[in-house]
Amino acid sequence: MNCERSLGVAGFLPAPWQLSQCEFEMDQEKNTVLKACYDLDGKAAPRRVIQACTEALQHDILEVPQQAFLFVGRADAYLALDDKQRALDDYSAAIRMAHLLPANERFLLFTPRAADYFALGDKQRALDDYDAAIKSDPHNAVLYYNRGIVFNAQANYDSALHDFDTALELNSRFVPALRQRAQLYATRGNLAGALADYSVAIRLQPQTAALWSDRGEVDIGRHEYGNAEEDESRAIRLDPKLASAYYLRSVALGNSGDGAKAVADLRIAVGLNPSLASFVTIKGKTVVLGLPPL
């Protein structure tokens, strides 16, 4: 940079405005390097991102704390190429620099590695990283939500519920957390709690077909078949290819005594998603439709 050369001249005392200009130019260059290492809009080719990050690391363009984010950017690119092990190596390299970052920024390094560990099936290490991330940023609802997902996958439902509760205490409009808690309530038999959470989620995102369909399944569990039919019909209007909504409406119609419409919906559902046929049991002339998991 020109300003670096001018500041290096013996006996040269730059004016304050020149120092500010040089700092600005250096910050601009660093930002350019960091942007080249991040696929901010999801459109950059991963291999180009990897190349940019690698070159920046090889030439020590950024200070060590900022280099951590170069490793994260390259890891994200590796992950986009489904190279989970190289991604993990880079995330780990970034985390070795975590102590050099302000405490409230360290979650930015631990969170992506936690997600990678989870994708690799190492739930305990994922939990350890989410613990570290939450310690760094204890008021971040997304971190509790993510850790709750891991607890849920471990069948540690009490801990998962606690994390979903905490996420919603921090952000009552966090629809993914509402949906996950509703599903957890439903699987544990708390249908009233599930119905309440789905209803809040629907008020917040009324154009999301899956929320209407999920609530319809809870309606079926509560034997409120008319409500279920309405919810599934709304889901179908929003997404005519949502196979589960046709299937669940078939269940509701069948329980309401409208066999002809139930069969028509069942045919559409299985046509859209043949795997739904596994929930259908035929006993003589009776067709029994089991409920798929939420």
Side-chain angles (χ1 to χ4, degrees), residues 183-230:
Q183 290 175 351
L184 188 52
Y185 278 153
T187 58
R188 302 184 85 188
N190 182 0
L191 298 184
L195 188 68
D197 273 357
Y198 280 129
S199 296
V200 173
I202 285 169
R203 284 199 296 274
L204 293 170
Q205 289 186 7
Q207 300 304 309
T208 302
L211 293 174
W212 292 92
S213 184
D214 287 351
R215 190 175 74 171
E217 185 162 357
V218 174
D219 290 330
I220 291 170
R222 289 164 59 87
H223 306 293
E224 296 175 353
Y225 302 119
N227 290 341
E229 184 184 346
E230 289 179 10

Side-chain angles (χ1 to χ4, degrees), residues 91-110:
Y91 288 138
S92 297
I95 284 172
R96 287 195 288 273
M97 302 175 186
H99 66 285
L100 300 171
L101 293 175
N104 64 349
E105 293 181 9
R106 294 171 189 169
F107 77 96
L108 295 167
L109 306 183
F110 284 100

